[in-house]
Amino acid sequence: MSIELLLLGVGSSGGSPAIGCSCPTCTSPDPRNRRTRASAVIRAEGKTLLIDTGPDLRSQALRENLLQVDAVLYTHPHADHIHGIDDLRAWCWLQKVALPVYGNTLTIEHIKSRFTYTLLQPNEYWDKPVLTPIEVDAEPFNAAGVRVLPIPLLHGRWPILGFRIGNVAYLTDVSEIPESSYALLQGLDVLVLDCLREVPHPTHFGVVQSLAAAERIAARRTVFIHMTHELEYHALSSRLPPGIEVGYDGMRITM
C-alpha cells in the first residue's frame, strides 16, 4: 500500500511564533520555525484521512490545497486538536456527504456535548459540518475503506489514541506509551512522535523521552512534532542521531 504523509502543523497549543516572544525560534526567518497547531493528513488507497482538526485547519487546508477529506481520526479532545471542527463544513459542502469521525469514548463524548450542531441532518445549503461520530477502542477499524490500527497512549491521566496506517504511525501528545502498545509499533517505516520541549512535561514527552521512545521503537525514520518555540529547528536538528529529524509544517513523506 502506497502512503503519503503530510504534516499540516507541527506546533504545540500556542503555535510558533508565540505571541509577545522574541526568542530565536519566534524571530527566525526560516519557515521551518513557523509552526501551526499539530495536525496531519494520510493518503492511502485513494482516500484522504485527516488527523485532528486544530484551530489552524482552514489556513493549513488553503496552504496545502486540501480539497478532499474522507474521514477524520481524532487523537483526543483538547482545544488545539479539535477546535477547528467547524471548518469540516467546507468538505461536507464540497462532497455533499456526512464525514465519519473516529475517536475513543472520551473524544466522542466531548464532540457530542460540545459540538452538538455538527450531528444534525444536513440542510440544503450544507452550511454546517455534518458528522457521524464513531467510537473506537484498541481494535483495528476501517476508515473510508483504509485499515487503521489505534495505538492506546497516555496524555497525562487521559487515555488517548495514536494511529497506525500501514507502516506509518502518528503519536502526538504522549506522556507514556503503555507496554502493550510498543508491540503495535514494530516494523515501522515512519514514526511521527510528540516532542514538546527540552525538559519533561507532565503530559508530554520531552526531548530525552522522545529520543528514548524512538530508539526503542526503531522506525526507519522518526519525525518529531508538537514542539514549542523552545525548540529551534536547526539547534535541535544538530543534536539528533541519524534517522531522527525535526518535522515542519508542510513536510511530505511518500512511501
Side-chain angles (χ1 to χ4, degrees):
M1 176 172 60
S2 62
I3 296 176
E4 181 189 46
L5 168 68
L6 166 62
L7 298 180
L8 294 176
V10 301
S12 62
S13 58
S16 299
I19 295 172
C21 183
S22 57
C23 75
T25 304
C26 292
T27 57
S28 169
D30 192 322
R32 290 171 293 189
N33 277 315
R34 303 187 70 85
R35 301 171 182 143
T36 56
R37 268 62 73 93
S39 181
V41 163
I42 293 181
R43 294 188 173 100
E45 306 285 1
K47 301 297 183 180
T48 300
L49 307 184
L50 174 64
I51 303 178
D52 289 339
T53 58
D56 299 310
L57 178 58
R58 179 180 177 276
S59 61
Q60 293 167 340
L62 289 170
R63 184 191 74 213
E64 302 297 339
N65 196 31
L66 182 59
L67 300 180
Q68 175 183 341
V69 172
D70 296 295
V72 183
L73 311 179
Y74 279 111
T75 61
H76 67 292
H78 273 154
D80 56 320
H81 294 265
I82 203 170
H83 274 194
I85 195 169
D86 191 68
D87 288 328
L88 292 176
R89 62 181 174 170
W91 294 282
C92 293
W93 181 83
L94 286 169
Q95 299 164 182
K96 301 298 189 290
V97 295
L99 286 178
V101 298
Y102 298 86
N104 65 10
T105 300
L106 173 71
T107 299
I108 297 303
E109 286 179 350
H110 272 260
I111 290 173
K112 288 180 177 179
S113 63
R114 292 159 58 190
F115 305 103
T116 307
Y117 71 97
T118 68
L119 309 179
L120 303 176
Q121 291 298 309
N123 59 34
E124 61 181 305
Y125 305 108
W126 289 84
D127 57 354
K128 298 181 179 65
V130 184
L131 310 180
T132 303
I134 302 168
E135 287 188 25
V136 294
D137 47 29
E139 296 299 317
F141 62 94
N142 287 328
V146 178
R147 186 179 187 273
V148 180
L149 177 63
I151 309 295
L153 304 168
L154 288 176
H155 180 31
R157 296 180 179 179
W158 269 15
I160 70 167
L161 293 177
F163 298 103
R164 177 173 182 165
I165 298 171
N167 286 336
V168 177
Y170 184 92
L171 314 182
T172 189
D173 290 53
V174 188
S175 59
E176 181 181 343
I177 301 175
E179 196 64 32
S180 58
S181 291
Y182 276 105
L184 306 176
L185 296 168
Q186 300 307 300
L188 291 174
D189 290 323
V190 177
L191 169 66
V192 181
L193 184 63
D194 183 32
C195 183
L196 184 72
R197 63 185 191 183
E198 190 67 47
V199 299
H201 186 276
T203 62
H204 290 267
F205 280 169
V207 173
V208 171
Q209 294 163 301
S210 298
L211 285 169
E215 181 179 5
R216 179 171 177 184
I217 294 168
R220 291 177 57 195
R221 184 176 183 181
T222 296
V223 180
F224 286 165
I225 62 161
H226 207 286
M227 295 166 286
T228 73
H229 61 122
E230 295 176 30
L231 299 177
E232 197 276 330
Y233 177 84
H234 297 281
L236 181 56
S237 295
S238 68
R239 299 164 50 197
L240 299 182
I244 302 178
E245 57 198 288
V246 182
Y248 54 87
D249 284 24
M251 185 179 196
R252 293 175 185 265
I253 300 174
T254 302
M255 291 146 283

